[in-house]
Amino acid sequence: MSNIFDMLYLTYPTMIEDARGCADTGAESRSRWPQPGELWSLWKLMIQYEIPEFVELGETLTEVRELYVYSKAMGVIDDSKKSEVSVAIRAMSSLAAKMRMRALENQLDRYEANVPYTVEAWDMLVDSFMSNMETAVLFLVPTDRQKFFEDKSPFGRPVELSFKPLLDEIECARLCLGYGQPTASVFHMMRVMEGAVSLLAKQLQLPDTTLEWGKLLSGIDAKIKDMAKDDDRKKWSERRAHLWHVKECWRNDTMHPRRSYSQTQAEELFSAVGVFMRSLVILTPEGNTTVAKILREAAGED
């Protein structure tokens, strides 16, 4: 996946979001708080709103500088204080790691065991750290969309293991919901469904699995009609009916340039696609193995 999806995000407090001018619910705080859907400098935002972890680190860096300034050699760190400098550097490195700033993290790690000797060297290291922090941005999202960033397996392990070629599209659909792009999310959901149809068509040994959805469904329908009237045919028939319904209700409208979806509609569709994809698992060769494996793990047999 693209690194754009590694962007940091911050949950938007519901209490402040609902204030809308009411003094007793935090309207004053709301007027100071950044609005959702915008990019913000992480370090400046955290300091401005006094987020404890950032404020404490800022205070620590100031205190360490004083160790240099008021040392016996005036500007050269005392050997007895080097451990305190190392602790501060470790804190900076930890924050850089959380923010996925690998180059900065590596730079700081090199100084942890060999701390800056003079106050000038310490200032240069802190300046480098601060410059990097100020370039980091976050995307502010409402609290109710937080789940789309945190749940990285929304359809469950059976779907992931049975439909591996579709994982990128599922992730795109999930993240588009998180970023408040519902119509784009529905577009990716339709690609998930199309991919599922293609994989099922391949399993039924259709000669060309690259055809458009309608033709693939016709081919799948013909294969199902040739099956013996048993449980397998029943399973395939039920899923095929759902697939056709999805095509008629979603795909034609989604591909039409004038159709758009609200956040609520897209989230409902996302949930429905998840339910449907889970129902398809048992039709795939990987699905039977996957379900059996998960059941064994739940029973403590693996």
Side-chain angles (χ1 to χ4, degrees):
M1 295 300 297
S2 169
N3 287 335
I4 191 173
F5 294 136
D6 290 340
M7 185 183 296
L8 297 166
Y9 70 93
L10 180 68
T11 301
Y12 190 76
T14 303
M15 180 189 73
I16 297 176
E17 184 178 21
D18 293 340
R20 305 215 178 264
C22 300
D24 58 343
T25 55
E28 182 179 353
S29 296
R30 174 180 167 77
S31 67
R32 296 188 302 111
W33 195 266
Q35 299 302 297
E38 301 177 11
L39 295 178
W40 295 87
S41 169
L42 183 61
W43 181 262
K44 290 181 179 178
L45 186 64
M46 295 299 98
I47 293 297
Q48 180 179 349
Y49 294 102
E50 301 179 352
I51 304 303
E53 182 178 1
F54 287 76
V55 173
E56 290 171 6
L57 179 56
E59 292 173 349
T60 297
L61 299 182
T62 300
E63 291 170 0
V64 168
R65 190 178 193 281
E66 291 178 354
L67 295 179
Y68 284 90
V69 174
Y70 298 110
S71 65
K72 295 176 182 179
M74 299 295 289
V76 177
I77 193 67
D78 295 333
D79 289 342
S80 62
K81 302 296 183 180
K82 287 184 177 179
S83 61
E84 296 179 50
V85 179
S86 293
V87 170
I89 293 174
R90 194 178 307 123
M92 289 191 286
S93 177
S94 176
L95 183 57
K98 290 179 182 178
M99 296 169 64
R100 303 180 185 182
M101 304 175 76
R102 304 305 182 202
L104 177 60
E105 181 186 1
N106 292 335
Q107 177 191 6
L108 292 165
D109 287 345
R110 289 195 295 269
Y111 281 99
E112 187 177 335
N114 187 24
V115 303
Y117 186 63
T118 65
V119 67
E120 291 80 11
W122 170 254
D123 287 344
M124 289 179 61
L125 181 62
V126 172
D127 285 346
S128 175
F129 172 75
M130 296 292 288
S131 296
N132 278 274
M133 288 293 108
E134 290 181 0
T135 62
V137 295
L138 58 82
F139 186 81
L140 202 63
V141 300
T143 306
D144 59 0
R145 296 210 303 264
Q146 181 179 353
K147 59 189 176 184
F148 297 112
F149 291 94
E150 295 186 338
D151 185 1
K152 293 180 170 47
S153 181
F155 293 172
R157 286 185 60 211
V159 172
E160 289 184 350
L161 297 175
S162 301
F163 296 98
K164 292 181 180 179
L166 305 180
L167 295 185
D168 280 358
E169 294 295 345
I170 292 173
E171 183 175 12
C172 285
R174 169 177 68 84
L175 290 169
C176 282
L177 287 176
Y179 287 121
Q181 300 295 318
T183 301
S185 177
V186 174
F187 174 79
H188 286 292
M189 282 186 252
M190 299 320 302
R191 288 176 63 92
V192 171
M193 300 301 291
E194 287 181 336
V197 171
S198 180
L199 290 172
L200 294 177
K202 183 177 181 181
Q203 184 178 338
L204 289 175
Q205 298 181 340
L206 267 64
D208 186 358
T209 60
T210 63
L211 298 174
E212 59 94 18
W213 194 344
K215 292 180 180 179
L216 284 179
L217 285 177
S218 297
I220 289 174
D221 190 40
K223 288 285 186 178
I224 292 174
K225 287 181 179 180
D226 291 339
M227 291 180 179
K229 295 183 178 180
D230 54 16
D231 288 343
D232 280 345
R233 177 173 176 170
K234 182 179 179 181
K235 291 175 184 177
W236 278 95
S237 296
E238 290 174 351
R239 274 65 176 185
R240 174 265 181 199
H242 288 306
L243 280 168
W244 196 276
H245 177 71
V246 169
K247 172 185 178 294
E248 294 303 306
C249 292
W250 295 0
R251 184 176 185 274
N252 293 341
D253 282 341
T254 304
M255 299 305 289
H256 198 287
R258 289 180 295 179
R259 179 62 190 267
S260 61
Y261 288 79
S262 69
Q263 184 74 18
T264 299
Q265 290 173 324
E267 289 185 20
E268 290 174 351
L269 293 180
F270 187 74
S271 177
V273 170
V275 171
F276 183 63
M277 292 300 293
R278 286 190 287 273
S279 78
L280 292 183
V281 167
I282 199 170
L283 298 181
T284 67
E286 296 86 351
N288 292 321
T289 302
T290 297
V291 172
K293 183 176 186 297
I294 291 175
L295 289 175
R296 288 198 304 272
E297 289 178 351
E301 297 176 7
D302 282 357

